[in-house]
Amino acid sequence: MCGDEQRVWYPHRNVCYRDRAQKVAERKWRELHAKEPFHDGTGKRWAKEYSPQTPYHYDDGVTVSVHPTDLSPDDTFQTERQA
């Protein structure tokens, strides 16, 4: 189907509110860590550049997703971190 140049495709928009919420969560996560993306593994010590003391990138091992129920109400990962 994708390679058929004779096939006519019609635009259609389907808004998925779940996917929309996920994109917002991912954007907030990226913006929150834009200035200091590396940490020490505890999430308490952050740095702008990779180092042996801060080897982990904020996205290492993290998957941001959304669900119909709040699976972790105490996880405030989209808020400013404590100094």
Side-chain angles (χ1 to χ4, degrees), residues 2-77:
C2 292
D4 182 357
E5 64 184 41
Q6 300 301 314
R7 189 173 188 107
V8 177
W9 299 99
Y10 298 95
H12 175 74
R13 180 175 68 161
N14 180 39
V15 178
C16 177
Y17 294 99
R18 178 202 171 277
D19 290 350
R20 179 185 277 179
Q22 180 167 340
K23 291 299 181 186
V24 170
E26 290 171 351
R27 187 176 308 111
K28 285 181 179 181
W29 182 242
R30 283 191 308 272
E31 289 173 1
L32 181 62
H33 299 291
K35 291 182 182 177
E36 294 181 321
F38 294 94
H39 65 92
D40 62 354
T42 67
K44 295 180 180 179
R45 181 176 174 183
W46 292 84
K48 185 176 182 177
E49 303 293 331
Y50 167 87
S51 75
Q53 292 77 32
T54 54
Y56 304 102
H57 190 266
Y58 74 92
D59 254 354
D60 290 349
V62 174
T63 301
V64 176
S65 63
V66 293
H67 299 272
T69 58
D70 192 350
L71 301 178
S72 51
D74 296 328
D75 187 358
T76 57
F77 75 94

